[in-house]
Amino acid sequence: MRRVIIIGSGPAGYTAAIYSARAGLAPLVLTGERIGGWLTTTTEIENFPGFPDGVLGSELMEQMKRQAERFGAEISIDTVTKVDLSKRPFQVFINDRIETAESIIIATGSSARRLNVPGEDRLWGHGLSICATCDGFFFRDKDIAVVGGGDSAMEEAIFLTRFARQVQILVRGSEHELRASKPMLERARANEKIEFIYNVDVVEVLGEQIVRGVTIKNNQTNEERELALAGLFLAIGQVPNTQLFTGQLELSKGYIVTDCKSTATKVPGVFACGDVADWKFRQAITAAGTGCMAALEAQRFLAEKI
């Protein structure tokens, strides 16, 4: 039986692994399909402390992983299919095997929000993407669009200008309702390849085998028109990955509920950190901070049980 199992990687999971490993808890980290979390799809991170010149998201996650392994964490590329948190030791199901643990740290993060419009499912991965760094190369000298108005949308658009002929940013709100930070907005607006289209909703993704455009509707006038595109990138936010814990942990708007100023859930011995519990900040540095908190709280919980 394990002292602690960490479900998920990313800045929260790896930080929890570093701290719990250093405490001698020999944690098992079950990374899930996206090893290192969504940060591995991010280009340059400019606001993570200790990297004055910026750092690639994938590089930062690899360094965190190596640091956790250095202290004795076991990193396993497995996806959890079910958990039983009704009694201790807790059970974690991984396909045909079961791992048991005295404590659990949940760091499953979040997944990209989808449009839920006609054509999206059919064209997912065929010109419709959520990862500019993964797929931008395929759109050299093409006209493409990014849906969203936050920092991630600006970052995706700026990166895509390395390849595309033109990048249009489709924004639901007005120019004054953009959620992106001032530095990111200034960089996007200064790029001659980027054009903003405000007050529009994507109502359909067009194409049979590959994206050929979108139908957009002006949400002020209800006027619809087609926009010819070779690719569409979504940057409209995230939804927490809490499906495993429905009915076992308290959720609020999909996020795991933790005690005030703590990562402890309603189930003693189960802790949640990072974007799976953070609806407000959702930053790499805050995820890492709560990963540290979860590891320390798990360590104290286990010490009290001896």
Side-chain angles (χ1 to χ4, degrees), residues 114 117-128 204-213:
R114 299 181 65 157
V117 299
E120 183 180 30
D121 289 340
R122 181 178 69 254
L123 295 167
W124 195 267
H126 299 276
L128 177 57
E204 185 176 3
V205 185
L206 305 173
E208 292 303 321
Q209 279 78 40
I210 194 167
V211 170
R212 64 171 179 83

Side-chain angles (χ1 to χ4, degrees), residues 5 106 157:
I5 289 178
I106 300 168

Side-chain angles (χ1 to χ4, degrees), residues 170 200-203 214-218 223-225 227:
L170 309 179
V200 292
D201 294 314
V202 175
V203 295
V214 293
T215 300
I216 56 175
K217 181 174 74 172
N218 185 298
E223 178 186 357
E224 291 190 6
R225 66 185 177 98
L227 196 63

Side-chain angles (χ1 to χ4, degrees), residues 65-249:
K65 175 178 176 288
R66 291 204 308 267
Q67 190 172 3
E69 289 177 320
R70 174 192 166 200
F71 293 120
E74 180 183 345
I75 312 293
S76 181
I77 305 173
D78 285 308
T79 299
V80 176
T81 55
K82 187 173 71 170
V83 295
D84 183 355
L85 306 179
S86 62
K87 60 185 183 299
R88 295 178 57 233
F90 304 115
Q91 291 185 311
V92 178
F93 296 76
I94 309 157
N95 296 320
D96 58 349
R97 85 175 199 266
I98 300 174
E99 294 279 357
T100 58
E102 297 177 76
S103 64
I104 299 286
I105 295 176
I106 300 168
T108 48
S110 58
S111 296
R113 192 180 301 277
R114 299 181 65 157
L115 293 169
N116 296 316
V117 299
E120 183 180 30
D121 289 340
R122 181 178 69 254
L123 295 167
W124 195 267
H126 299 276
L128 177 57
S129 175
I130 55 172
C131 179
T133 55
C134 307
D135 302 323
F137 174 82
F138 300 108
F139 297 94
R140 189 173 296 278
D141 299 323
K142 305 287 187 182
D143 292 339
I144 57 179
V146 174
V147 183
D151 276 355
S152 59
M154 301 305 119
E155 183 181 14
E156 295 279 278
I158 292 167
F159 178 81
L160 288 167
T161 59
R162 301 182 187 184
F163 309 101
R165 181 172 57 189
Q166 183 184 46
V167 179
Q168 294 171 307
I169 302 179
L170 309 179
V171 186
R172 290 193 67 185
S174 69
E175 182 177 2
H176 307 293
E177 296 173 310
L178 287 164
R179 302 185 313 277
S181 62
K182 185 178 179 181
M184 291 301 294
L185 273 176
E186 288 177 348
R187 288 174 60 187
R189 286 171 171 158
N191 194 306
E192 60 183 14
K193 285 189 174 183
I194 292 177
E195 175 190 357
F196 287 81
I197 303 179
Y198 299 104
N199 298 312
V200 292
D201 294 314
V202 175
V203 295
E204 185 176 3
V205 185
L206 305 173
E208 292 303 321
Q209 279 78 40
I210 194 167
V211 170
R212 64 171 179 83
V214 293
T215 300
I216 56 175
K217 181 174 74 172
N218 185 298
N219 52 41
Q220 304 296 306
T221 65
N222 289 326
E223 178 186 357
E224 291 190 6
R225 66 185 177 98
E226 289 188 9
L227 196 63
L229 298 168
L232 183 68
F233 288 80
L234 305 186
I236 53 177
Q238 307 287 318
V239 291
N241 295 323
T242 53
Q243 300 89 335
L244 283 171
F245 315 106
T246 302
Q248 301 198 65
L249 296 175

Side-chain angles (χ1 to χ4, degrees), residues 263-281:
T263 63
T265 69
K266 298 298 183 183
V267 177
V270 177
F271 307 88
C273 55
D275 286 5
V276 74
D278 177 14
W279 57 268
K280 187 175 183 179
F281 299 107

